[in-house]
């Protein structure tokens, strides 16, 4: 398809809008079929976490994204936040322009397969144009992000080799790994809240890629990541074992937009459940070092004291700063918190950062506004595909 065929003309927009009922009825089937076709190639398959396929979260996220695109194709500005999240994720996994045709072929083939005769040539052509219109936006933004990383102090392009230099147990089911560049040169000073793309070759299992939040303070020497052990999880089991220390892995530069604003004008509240603390710990440390009087409230929810990552560090930060308050909820003792308990620890007009299991965040995003916290004050980070927390 030539560049002239990628414009979103009124006719194309009208056809895409007309397919919304079909997407609402068959979107998940289309997404599932698309991934079946796309992941048939091993080079593409290694970019994806198979758990997200087996659990259906990746197809569901794609189905929701395609439907949102169709509904807003005449007003793409409202999708700016979603486009940025996708672009950031893509650069962390080293998605390149040459990968996009594979997705186009799989998507159009899936639409035709699922809808059968209802997928007329006009519909397939319109969706081909719509796909490439969005792809061009993403490719352009990803090019900017790659260039920024390459030109940064300590920056690089592509995958860079790091050694797992040390490991220590953060809590009973989380290990923190210290990653040092093999070439001994400096690294990009990450913004607190960002994550790394990790390319691993696990002995006996082969190549795979994951994303992990950076849990170290910004520096030019290396990074740390903190990995929760998932029962029967190949990657997390290996990273949580002593066998991983000394091995080399490859990292893409820091990525992600779940970060603090450059200018903080309101109190900040961090609401984390379980491993959801990982993108926040760097933000909390950076706020603790500031000399201004920004009130910071940290609400940590964990099953038990033994399963609460960074609980000791959080207590030390709270004890050392008059501006940081820490509120811990152990669900094995006190049960799950409701929105009223959460809001009782949120300062007035605070910006609220959420991270944790999707079910927990969905509950918070739906219940906190009813308890008096406007939805526009909520920001959240999801691990894996964004299946939505507002649906």
């Amino acid at each position: 398809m030539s560049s002239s065929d990628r414009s979103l003309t009124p006719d194309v927009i009208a056809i895409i809008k007309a397919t919304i009922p079909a997407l609402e009825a068959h979107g998940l089937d289309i997404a599932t079929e698309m991934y079946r076709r796309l992941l048939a190639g091993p080079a593409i398959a290694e970019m994806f976490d198979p758990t997200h396929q087996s659990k259906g979260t990746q197809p569901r996220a794609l189905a929701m994204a395609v439907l949102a695109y169709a509904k807003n194709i005449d007003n793409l500005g409202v999708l700016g936040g979603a486009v940025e999240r996708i672009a950031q994720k893509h650069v962390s996994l080293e998605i390149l322009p040459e990968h996009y045709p594979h997705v186009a072929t799989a998507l159009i083939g899936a639409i035709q397969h699922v809808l059968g005769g209802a997928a007329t040539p006009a519909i397939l052509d319109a969706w081909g144009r719509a796909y490439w219109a969005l792809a061009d936006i993403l490719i352009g933004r990803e090019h900017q992000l790659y260039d920024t990383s390459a030109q940064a102090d300590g920056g690089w392009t592509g995958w860079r080799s790091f050694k797992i230099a040390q490991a220590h147990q953060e809590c009973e089911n989380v290990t923190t790994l210290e990653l040092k560049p093999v070439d001994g040169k400096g690294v990009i000073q990450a913004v607190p809240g960002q994550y790394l793309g990790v390319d691993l070759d696990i002995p006996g299992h082969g190549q795979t890629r994951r994303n992990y939040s950076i849990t170290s303070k910004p520096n030019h020497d290396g990074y740390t990541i903190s990995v929760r052990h998932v029962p029967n999880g190949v990657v997390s089991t290996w990273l949580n074992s002593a066998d991983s220390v000394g091995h080399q892995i490859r990292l893409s530069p820091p990525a992600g937009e779940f970060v603090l604003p450059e200018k903080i004008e309101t109190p900040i509240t961090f609401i984390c459940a379980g491993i959801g603390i990982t993108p926040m710990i760097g933000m909390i440390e950076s706020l603790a070092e500031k000399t201004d009087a920004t009130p910071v409230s940290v609400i940590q929810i964990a099953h038990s004291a033994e399963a609460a990552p960074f609980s000791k560090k959080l207590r030390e930060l709270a004890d050392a700063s008059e501006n940081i308050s820490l509120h811990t909820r152990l669900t094995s003792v006190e049960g799950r918190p409701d929105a009223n308990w959460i809001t009782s620890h949120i300062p007035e007009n605070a910006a609220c950062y959420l991270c944790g299991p999707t079910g927990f965040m969905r509950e918070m995003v739906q219940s906190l506004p009813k308890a008096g916290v406007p939805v526009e004050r909520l920001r959240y980070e999801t691990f894996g595909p964004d299946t939505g927390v507002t649906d």
Side-chain angles (χ1 to χ4, degrees), residues 271 339 342-343 354 363-373 378:
I271 307 169
I342 297 287
T343 55
L354 294 165
E363 179 184 344
M364 291 294 101
V365 169
Q366 293 177 356
S367 62
L368 288 177
K370 297 176 183 177
V373 182
L378 302 178

Side-chain angles (χ1 to χ4, degrees), residues 244-295:
S244 67
V245 177
H247 277 262
Q248 288 189 23
I249 61 176
R250 300 194 303 165
L251 303 182
S252 61
E257 37 71 57
F258 185 66
V259 298
L260 294 170
E262 291 185 10
K263 186 177 181 180
I264 298 175
E265 300 178 320
T266 66
I268 303 288
T269 294
F270 297 98
I271 307 169
C272 60
I275 198 64
I277 183 63
T278 52
M280 298 178 177
I281 188 65
M283 294 190 236
I284 298 167
E285 283 193 277
S286 69
L287 289 171
E289 294 176 350
K290 291 183 177 294
T291 56
D292 60 24
T294 301

Side-chain angles (χ1 to χ4, degrees), residues 101-303:
H102 297 284
V103 180
T105 299
L107 176 62
I108 300 304
I111 292 173
Q112 188 171 26
H113 176 83
V114 173
L115 298 186
T120 64
I123 286 176
L124 296 176
D125 179 70
W127 266 106
R129 294 171 186 251
Y131 169 80
W132 279 110
L134 179 58
D136 286 341
I137 293 172
L138 288 168
I139 290 170
R141 176 57 180 150
E142 288 156 18
H143 180 74
Q144 292 175 339
L145 293 171
Y146 284 129
D147 278 353
T148 298
S149 293
Q151 295 167 15
D153 186 14
W156 70 93
T157 57
W159 296 102
R160 183 175 173 184
S161 293
F162 282 69
K163 180 180 179 180
I164 302 178
Q166 295 184 43
H168 71 266
Q169 191 169 19
E170 200 62 57
C171 63
E172 67 178 8
N173 62 346
V174 176
T175 297
T176 291
L177 305 170
E178 183 180 334
L179 312 176
K180 296 291 186 181
V182 171
D183 59 19
K185 298 179 181 179
V187 302
I188 297 174
Q189 183 168 291
V191 178
Q194 289 189 307
Y195 54 82
L196 296 166
V198 181
D199 184 67
L200 310 103
D201 187 2
I202 299 177
H205 294 281
Q207 210 80 15
T208 188
R209 295 178 187 177
R210 296 292 189 273
N211 292 123
Y212 292 106
S213 295
I214 299 168
T215 53
S216 50
K217 294 172 62 175
N219 68 87
H220 288 294
D221 299 324
Y223 308 103
T224 67
I225 58 175
S226 301
V227 181
R228 179 175 69 92
H229 179 221
V230 178
N232 301 317
V234 171
V235 175
S236 69
T237 296
W238 184 73
L239 289 174
N240 273 268
S241 73
D243 294 339
S244 67
V245 177
H247 277 262
Q248 288 189 23
I249 61 176
R250 300 194 303 165
L251 303 182
S252 61
E257 37 71 57
F258 185 66
V259 298
L260 294 170
E262 291 185 10
K263 186 177 181 180
I264 298 175
E265 300 178 320
T266 66
I268 303 288
T269 294
F270 297 98
I271 307 169
C272 60
I275 198 64
I277 183 63
T278 52
M280 298 178 177
I281 188 65
M283 294 190 236
I284 298 167
E285 283 193 277
S286 69
L287 289 171
E289 294 176 350
K290 291 183 177 294
T291 56
D292 60 24
T294 301
V296 177
S297 180
V298 181
I299 301 171
Q300 183 177 35
I301 302 161
H303 175 71

Side-chain angles (χ1 to χ4, degrees), residues 272-356:
C272 60
I275 198 64
I277 183 63
T278 52
M280 298 178 177
I281 188 65
M283 294 190 236
I284 298 167
E285 283 193 277
S286 69
L287 289 171
E289 294 176 350
K290 291 183 177 294
T291 56
D292 60 24
T294 301
V296 177
S297 180
V298 181
I299 301 171
Q300 183 177 35
I301 302 161
H303 175 71
S304 64
E306 294 76 20
F310 298 102
S311 58
K312 180 180 178 182
K313 179 176 287 187
L314 288 174
R315 174 48 58 195
E316 291 173 348
L317 292 172
D319 289 344
S321 173
E322 296 180 356
N323 301 325
I324 297 179
S325 61
L326 174 63
H327 312 278
T328 303
R329 178 88 171 205
L330 303 179
T331 58
S332 61
V333 178
E334 303 170 90
R336 291 169 58 90
D338 59 18
N340 290 329
W341 186 88
I342 297 287
T343 55
S344 69
H345 301 299
I346 299 177
E348 186 176 358
N349 298 321
C352 298
Y353 288 68
L354 294 165
C355 193

